Amino acid sequence: MIRKTIPLLFFIYSINAQIALPTFQGVHKPHTTVAESDSQTFSYTGSQQTFTVPSGVTTITIKAWGAQGGSGGFWSNSNYCGTGGKGGYSTGELSVTPGNTVYIYVGGQGESHSSCSERMRQSNPLGGGWNGGGDGDYSYSGGGGGGATDIRYGGTGISNRVIVAGGGGGHGNAGNSTQLSNGGAGGGLEGQTMPNSSQYSNRTPGTGATQSSGNSNGIGTTGTANLTGGGGGGYFGGGAGANSTGGGGGSGYIGGVSSAETIAGNLTIPNPDGGTMTGRAGSGLVVISW
């Protein structure tokens, strides 16, 4: 009798065909949205600007610079041509919700004379800078106060301000004192009041605003005495000078943010272009990063 044998290869193939070999899959991880770090800069436009919080972002860092008061012009001696007080600086972190709107108000520089060789304007006051700068005096106008720079969240009213960088006061023209002709710097917890000299006791520079004194609407006082500058805008607005002097600076504010700092414009502050500088010249600026 002849036996037939099944080849070993066929036998092994048959076994493998009947056994389901295991398969391996990677572990599934849930998708998480991670916001990329970035920044956005807002320059002066003379109107409200907005920033929409990106997806995944819950905290933004704000850096704000206030505006300078108006400068230039002389009454009796161009050697005592005044300079507008410089804007201050404020920074802090704000807790936000993705998709919400942040409202940005970048202050404008107070109106200036064209140069120290221009005689102070009569019956045509120099206007205060946008967002709170007070006008110069109507008779012979000093410089307009610088506007504040502020951020508002949850609404557009002044009660919604979370951070403010104060604007500087506009120049006056004391005629025989450069110091009294200059406006006070804005920003910090107290805007600057220019120091007075007993020799000119009848000339009182505008008072810098604080966290609780000055104009509560944030607008600098308009000059009412001859040759005086307007007050700077701020959390509280700065006062106007008396008898040919410069306006006071508006105050800064950091009560609505964390990890915060506010610095007056007569001190060393960060320069947005790198390094440091003494106060902000010209109009204000805002940088938001996340």
PDB file of all heavy atoms in Angstrom, residues 31-38 51-60 94-100 153 289-290:
ATOM      1  N   HIS A  31      -6.986  65.688  21.148  1.00  0.00           N
ATOM      2  CA  HIS A  31      -6.402  66.876  20.522  1.00  0.00           C
ATOM      3  C   HIS A  31      -6.545  68.080  21.440  1.00  0.00           C
ATOM      4  O   HIS A  31      -7.619  68.352  21.967  1.00  0.00           O
ATOM      5  CB  HIS A  31      -7.104  67.166  19.187  1.00  0.00           C
ATOM      6  CG  HIS A  31      -6.616  68.419  18.530  1.00  0.00           C
ATOM      7  ND1 HIS A  31      -5.380  68.506  17.942  1.00  0.00           N
ATOM      8  CD2 HIS A  31      -7.206  69.625  18.387  1.00  0.00           C
ATOM      9  CE1 HIS A  31      -5.223  69.722  17.447  1.00  0.00           C
ATOM     10  NE2 HIS A  31      -6.316  70.409  17.710  1.00  0.00           N
ATOM     11  N   THR A  32      -5.450  68.778  21.662  1.00  0.00           N
ATOM     12  CA  THR A  32      -5.460  69.970  22.504  1.00  0.00           C
ATOM     13  C   THR A  32      -4.976  71.162  21.684  1.00  0.00           C
ATOM     14  O   THR A  32      -3.919  71.095  21.047  1.00  0.00           O
ATOM     15  CB  THR A  32      -4.549  69.797  23.728  1.00  0.00           C
ATOM     16  OG1 THR A  32      -4.989  68.656  24.464  1.00  0.00           O
ATOM     17  CG2 THR A  32      -4.602  71.023  24.620  1.00  0.00           C
ATOM     18  N   THR A  33      -5.743  72.288  21.715  1.00  0.00           N
ATOM     19  CA  THR A  33      -5.349  73.488  20.985  1.00  0.00           C
ATOM     20  C   THR A  33      -4.350  74.281  21.810  1.00  0.00           C
ATOM     21  O   THR A  33      -4.637  74.663  22.949  1.00  0.00           O
ATOM     22  CB  THR A  33      -6.571  74.382  20.686  1.00  0.00           C
ATOM     23  OG1 THR A  33      -7.491  73.625  19.892  1.00  0.00           O
ATOM     24  CG2 THR A  33      -6.151  75.638  19.957  1.00  0.00           C
ATOM     25  N   VAL A  34      -3.185  74.492  21.278  1.00  0.00           N
ATOM     26  CA  VAL A  34      -2.156  75.261  21.953  1.00  0.00           C
ATOM     27  C   VAL A  34      -1.913  76.538  21.148  1.00  0.00           C
ATOM     28  O   VAL A  34      -1.576  76.482  19.967  1.00  0.00           O
ATOM     29  CB  VAL A  34      -0.846  74.460  22.082  1.00  0.00           C
ATOM     30  CG1 VAL A  34       0.220  75.318  22.752  1.00  0.00           C
ATOM     31  CG2 VAL A  34      -1.094  73.176  22.861  1.00  0.00           C
ATOM     32  N   ALA A  35      -2.118  77.696  21.790  1.00  0.00           N
ATOM     33  CA  ALA A  35      -1.953  78.961  21.080  1.00  0.00           C
ATOM     34  C   ALA A  35      -0.476  79.237  20.834  1.00  0.00           C
ATOM     35  O   ALA A  35       0.374  79.000  21.699  1.00  0.00           O
ATOM     36  CB  ALA A  35      -2.565  80.090  21.895  1.00  0.00           C
ATOM     37  N   GLU A  36      -0.169  79.716  19.653  1.00  0.00           N
ATOM     38  CA  GLU A  36       1.194  80.105  19.351  1.00  0.00           C
ATOM     39  C   GLU A  36       1.474  81.482  19.932  1.00  0.00           C
ATOM     40  O   GLU A  36       0.621  82.352  19.934  1.00  0.00           O
ATOM     41  CB  GLU A  36       1.413  80.123  17.837  1.00  0.00           C
ATOM     42  CG  GLU A  36       1.298  78.761  17.179  1.00  0.00           C
ATOM     43  CD  GLU A  36       1.589  78.828  15.691  1.00  0.00           C
ATOM     44  OE1 GLU A  36       1.916  79.931  15.210  1.00  0.00           O
ATOM     45  OE2 GLU A  36       1.500  77.792  15.027  1.00  0.00           O
ATOM     46  N   SER A  37       2.673  81.678  20.442  1.00  0.00           N
ATOM     47  CA  SER A  37       3.051  82.978  20.986  1.00  0.00           C
ATOM     48  C   SER A  37       3.186  83.988  19.851  1.00  0.00           C
ATOM     49  O   SER A  37       3.676  83.673  18.777  1.00  0.00           O
ATOM     50  CB  SER A  37       4.380  82.866  21.749  1.00  0.00           C
ATOM     51  OG  SER A  37       4.253  81.988  22.839  1.00  0.00           O
ATOM     52  N   ASP A  38       2.752  85.207  20.122  1.00  0.00           N
ATOM     53  CA  ASP A  38       2.813  86.247  19.097  1.00  0.00           C
ATOM     54  C   ASP A  38       2.633  87.594  19.794  1.00  0.00           C
ATOM     55  O   ASP A  38       2.444  87.659  21.015  1.00  0.00           O
ATOM     56  CB  ASP A  38       1.730  86.032  18.041  1.00  0.00           C
ATOM     57  CG  ASP A  38       2.104  86.650  16.693  1.00  0.00           C
ATOM     58  OD1 ASP A  38       3.030  87.478  16.661  1.00  0.00           O
ATOM     59  OD2 ASP A  38       1.470  86.311  15.683  1.00  0.00           O
ATOM     60  N   PHE A  51      -8.813  94.343  19.618  1.00  0.00           N
ATOM     61  CA  PHE A  51      -8.005  93.131  19.536  1.00  0.00           C
ATOM     62  C   PHE A  51      -8.888  91.959  19.942  1.00  0.00           C
ATOM     63  O   PHE A  51      -9.509  91.983  21.015  1.00  0.00           O
ATOM     64  CB  PHE A  51      -6.799  93.238  20.474  1.00  0.00           C
ATOM     65  CG  PHE A  51      -6.026  91.954  20.648  1.00  0.00           C
ATOM     66  CD1 PHE A  51      -5.142  91.519  19.682  1.00  0.00           C
ATOM     67  CD2 PHE A  51      -6.188  91.183  21.794  1.00  0.00           C
ATOM     68  CE1 PHE A  51      -4.419  90.336  19.837  1.00  0.00           C
ATOM     69  CE2 PHE A  51      -5.476  90.003  21.971  1.00  0.00           C
ATOM     70  CZ  PHE A  51      -4.593  89.588  20.988  1.00  0.00           C
ATOM     71  N   THR A  52      -8.998  90.945  19.088  1.00  0.00           N
ATOM     72  CA  THR A  52      -9.784  89.759  19.396  1.00  0.00           C
ATOM     73  C   THR A  52      -8.870  88.691  19.975  1.00  0.00           C
ATOM     74  O   THR A  52      -7.862  88.319  19.365  1.00  0.00           O
ATOM     75  CB  THR A  52     -10.484  89.222  18.135  1.00  0.00           C
ATOM     76  OG1 THR A  52     -11.331  90.243  17.593  1.00  0.00           O
ATOM     77  CG2 THR A  52     -11.335  88.007  18.477  1.00  0.00           C
ATOM     78  N   VAL A  53      -9.215  88.193  21.153  1.00  0.00           N
ATOM     79  CA  VAL A  53      -8.374  87.208  21.836  1.00  0.00           C
ATOM     80  C   VAL A  53      -8.328  85.918  21.011  1.00  0.00           C
ATOM     81  O   VAL A  53      -9.368  85.331  20.695  1.00  0.00           O
ATOM     82  CB  VAL A  53      -8.911  86.911  23.241  1.00  0.00           C
ATOM     83  CG1 VAL A  53      -8.019  85.887  23.941  1.00  0.00           C
ATOM     84  CG2 VAL A  53      -9.009  88.192  24.067  1.00  0.00           C
ATOM     85  N   PRO A  54      -7.137  85.438  20.646  1.00  0.00           N
ATOM     86  CA  PRO A  54      -7.019  84.226  19.816  1.00  0.00           C
ATOM     87  C   PRO A  54      -7.470  82.971  20.571  1.00  0.00           C
ATOM     88  O   PRO A  54      -7.517  82.929  21.804  1.00  0.00           O
ATOM     89  CB  PRO A  54      -5.516  84.161  19.505  1.00  0.00           C
ATOM     90  CG  PRO A  54      -4.999  85.524  19.753  1.00  0.00           C
ATOM     91  CD  PRO A  54      -5.825  86.076  20.860  1.00  0.00           C
ATOM     92  N   SER A  55      -7.780  81.941  19.807  1.00  0.00           N
ATOM     93  CA  SER A  55      -8.161  80.647  20.374  1.00  0.00           C
ATOM     94  C   SER A  55      -7.033  80.098  21.240  1.00  0.00           C
ATOM     95  O   SER A  55      -5.863  80.149  20.877  1.00  0.00           O
ATOM     96  CB  SER A  55      -8.479  79.663  19.244  1.00  0.00           C
ATOM     97  OG  SER A  55      -8.752  78.380  19.749  1.00  0.00           O
ATOM     98  N   GLY A  56      -7.399  79.601  22.410  1.00  0.00           N
ATOM     99  CA  GLY A  56      -6.422  78.996  23.302  1.00  0.00           C
ATOM    100  C   GLY A  56      -5.694  79.957  24.212  1.00  0.00           C
ATOM    101  O   GLY A  56      -4.918  79.536  25.071  1.00  0.00           O
ATOM    102  N   VAL A  57      -5.936  81.267  24.049  1.00  0.00           N
ATOM    103  CA  VAL A  57      -5.235  82.272  24.845  1.00  0.00           C
ATOM    104  C   VAL A  57      -6.096  82.685  26.042  1.00  0.00           C
ATOM    105  O   VAL A  57      -7.252  83.074  25.872  1.00  0.00           O
ATOM    106  CB  VAL A  57      -4.890  83.511  23.998  1.00  0.00           C
ATOM    107  CG1 VAL A  57      -4.323  84.633  24.865  1.00  0.00           C
ATOM    108  CG2 VAL A  57      -3.905  83.136  22.909  1.00  0.00           C
ATOM    109  N   THR A  58      -5.544  82.611  27.231  1.00  0.00           N
ATOM    110  CA  THR A  58      -6.274  83.008  28.442  1.00  0.00           C
ATOM    111  C   THR A  58      -5.589  84.139  29.200  1.00  0.00           C
ATOM    112  O   THR A  58      -6.156  84.678  30.155  1.00  0.00           O
ATOM    113  CB  THR A  58      -6.459  81.809  29.386  1.00  0.00           C
ATOM    114  OG1 THR A  58      -5.170  81.262  29.717  1.00  0.00           O
ATOM    115  CG2 THR A  58      -7.321  80.734  28.732  1.00  0.00           C
ATOM    116  N   THR A  59      -4.375  84.500  28.789  1.00  0.00           N
ATOM    117  CA  THR A  59      -3.660  85.615  29.411  1.00  0.00           C
ATOM    118  C   THR A  59      -2.904  86.387  28.342  1.00  0.00           C
ATOM    119  O   THR A  59      -2.253  85.792  27.485  1.00  0.00           O
ATOM    120  CB  THR A  59      -2.651  85.119  30.467  1.00  0.00           C
ATOM    121  OG1 THR A  59      -3.327  84.358  31.465  1.00  0.00           O
ATOM    122  CG2 THR A  59      -1.949  86.294  31.146  1.00  0.00           C
ATOM    123  N   ILE A  60      -3.004  87.710  28.393  1.00  0.00           N
ATOM    124  CA  ILE A  60      -2.213  88.555  27.504  1.00  0.00           C
ATOM    125  C   ILE A  60      -1.366  89.501  28.345  1.00  0.00           C
ATOM    126  O   ILE A  60      -1.733  89.866  29.461  1.00  0.00           O
ATOM    127  CB  ILE A  60      -3.089  89.368  26.520  1.00  0.00           C
ATOM    128  CG1 ILE A  60      -4.069  90.283  27.275  1.00  0.00           C
ATOM    129  CG2 ILE A  60      -3.822  88.456  25.558  1.00  0.00           C
ATOM    130  CD1 ILE A  60      -4.866  91.210  26.372  1.00  0.00           C
ATOM    131  N   LEU A  94      -3.306  90.483  31.785  1.00  0.00           N
ATOM    132  CA  LEU A  94      -4.759  90.514  31.862  1.00  0.00           C
ATOM    133  C   LEU A  94      -5.332  89.136  31.557  1.00  0.00           C
ATOM    134  O   LEU A  94      -4.987  88.534  30.534  1.00  0.00           O
ATOM    135  CB  LEU A  94      -5.324  91.541  30.865  1.00  0.00           C
ATOM    136  CG  LEU A  94      -6.842  91.641  30.767  1.00  0.00           C
ATOM    137  CD1 LEU A  94      -7.446  92.168  32.064  1.00  0.00           C
ATOM    138  CD2 LEU A  94      -7.246  92.547  29.594  1.00  0.00           C
ATOM    139  N   SER A  95      -6.184  88.631  32.433  1.00  0.00           N
ATOM    140  CA  SER A  95      -6.878  87.363  32.179  1.00  0.00           C
ATOM    141  C   SER A  95      -8.013  87.609  31.188  1.00  0.00           C
ATOM    142  O   SER A  95      -8.825  88.514  31.380  1.00  0.00           O
ATOM    143  CB  SER A  95      -7.431  86.793  33.487  1.00  0.00           C
ATOM    144  OG  SER A  95      -6.393  86.459  34.383  1.00  0.00           O
ATOM    145  N   VAL A  96      -8.068  86.801  30.137  1.00  0.00           N
ATOM    146  CA  VAL A  96      -9.030  87.009  29.056  1.00  0.00           C
ATOM    147  C   VAL A  96      -9.681  85.690  28.662  1.00  0.00           C
ATOM    148  O   VAL A  96      -9.244  84.614  29.072  1.00  0.00           O
ATOM    149  CB  VAL A  96      -8.343  87.633  27.817  1.00  0.00           C
ATOM    150  CG1 VAL A  96      -7.893  89.050  28.104  1.00  0.00           C
ATOM    151  CG2 VAL A  96      -7.156  86.772  27.373  1.00  0.00           C
ATOM    152  N   THR A  97     -10.726  85.789  27.839  1.00  0.00           N
ATOM    153  CA  THR A  97     -11.425  84.627  27.300  1.00  0.00           C
ATOM    154  C   THR A  97     -11.280  84.618  25.782  1.00  0.00           C
ATOM    155  O   THR A  97     -11.496  85.652  25.137  1.00  0.00           O
ATOM    156  CB  THR A  97     -12.920  84.673  27.673  1.00  0.00           C
ATOM    157  OG1 THR A  97     -13.039  84.679  29.100  1.00  0.00           O
ATOM    158  CG2 THR A  97     -13.667  83.484  27.104  1.00  0.00           C
ATOM    159  N   PRO A  98     -10.905  83.479  25.191  1.00  0.00           N
ATOM    160  CA  PRO A  98     -10.759  83.421  23.728  1.00  0.00           C
ATOM    161  C   PRO A  98     -12.019  83.903  23.014  1.00  0.00           C
ATOM    162  O   PRO A  98     -13.138  83.563  23.409  1.00  0.00           O
ATOM    163  CB  PRO A  98     -10.499  81.934  23.459  1.00  0.00           C
ATOM    164  CG  PRO A  98      -9.873  81.432  24.720  1.00  0.00           C
ATOM    165  CD  PRO A  98     -10.551  82.180  25.827  1.00  0.00           C
ATOM    166  N   GLY A  99     -11.836  84.711  21.991  1.00  0.00           N
ATOM    167  CA  GLY A  99     -12.948  85.243  21.217  1.00  0.00           C
ATOM    168  C   GLY A  99     -13.463  86.574  21.706  1.00  0.00           C
ATOM    169  O   GLY A  99     -14.191  87.265  20.978  1.00  0.00           O
ATOM    170  N   ASN A 100     -13.117  86.964  22.940  1.00  0.00           N
ATOM    171  CA  ASN A 100     -13.579  88.245  23.465  1.00  0.00           C
ATOM    172  C   ASN A 100     -12.791  89.404  22.853  1.00  0.00           C
ATOM    173  O   ASN A 100     -11.705  89.224  22.316  1.00  0.00           O
ATOM    174  CB  ASN A 100     -13.460  88.289  24.982  1.00  0.00           C
ATOM    175  CG  ASN A 100     -14.595  87.573  25.683  1.00  0.00           C
ATOM    176  OD1 ASN A 100     -15.447  86.957  25.029  1.00  0.00           O
ATOM    177  ND2 ASN A 100     -14.617  87.618  27.000  1.00  0.00           N
ATOM    178  N   TYR A 153     -11.664  96.374  28.982  1.00  0.00           N
ATOM    179  CA  TYR A 153     -12.095  94.987  28.788  1.00  0.00           C
ATOM    180  C   TYR A 153     -13.440  94.784  29.471  1.00  0.00           C
ATOM    181  O   TYR A 153     -13.642  95.222  30.593  1.00  0.00           O
ATOM    182  CB  TYR A 153     -11.061  94.023  29.364  1.00  0.00           C
ATOM    183  CG  TYR A 153     -11.305  92.567  29.043  1.00  0.00           C
ATOM    184  CD1 TYR A 153     -11.294  92.115  27.727  1.00  0.00           C
ATOM    185  CD2 TYR A 153     -11.538  91.638  30.056  1.00  0.00           C
ATOM    186  CE1 TYR A 153     -11.507  90.782  27.422  1.00  0.00           C
ATOM    187  CE2 TYR A 153     -11.754  90.299  29.756  1.00  0.00           C
ATOM    188  CZ  TYR A 153     -11.741  89.876  28.435  1.00  0.00           C
ATOM    189  OH  TYR A 153     -11.959  88.551  28.131  1.00  0.00           O
ATOM    190  N   SER A 289       1.031  91.027  23.801  1.00  0.00           N
ATOM    191  CA  SER A 289       1.694  89.767  23.467  1.00  0.00           C
ATOM    192  C   SER A 289       1.014  88.629  24.220  1.00  0.00           C
ATOM    193  O   SER A 289       0.357  88.818  25.243  1.00  0.00           O
ATOM    194  CB  SER A 289       3.184  89.830  23.791  1.00  0.00           C
ATOM    195  OG  SER A 289       3.392  90.146  25.155  1.00  0.00           O
ATOM    196  N   TRP A 290       1.177  87.392  23.697  1.00  0.00           N
ATOM    197  CA  TRP A 290       0.560  86.219  24.308  1.00  0.00           C
ATOM    198  C   TRP A 290       1.387  84.976  23.996  1.00  0.00           C
ATOM    199  O   TRP A 290       2.307  85.014  23.223  1.00  0.00           O
ATOM    200  CB  TRP A 290      -0.876  86.065  23.821  1.00  0.00           C
ATOM    201  CG  TRP A 290      -1.009  85.880  22.338  1.00  0.00           C
ATOM    202  CD1 TRP A 290      -1.078  84.696  21.643  1.00  0.00           C
ATOM    203  CD2 TRP A 290      -1.103  86.911  21.335  1.00  0.00           C
ATOM    204  NE1 TRP A 290      -1.197  84.931  20.302  1.00  0.00           N
ATOM    205  CE2 TRP A 290      -1.224  86.263  20.078  1.00  0.00           C
ATOM    206  CE3 TRP A 290      -1.094  88.314  21.370  1.00  0.00           C
ATOM    207  CZ2 TRP A 290      -1.318  86.973  18.884  1.00  0.00           C
ATOM    208  CZ3 TRP A 290      -1.192  89.023  20.188  1.00  0.00           C
ATOM    209  CH2 TRP A 290      -1.298  88.358  18.962  1.00  0.00           C
TER     210      TRP A 290
END
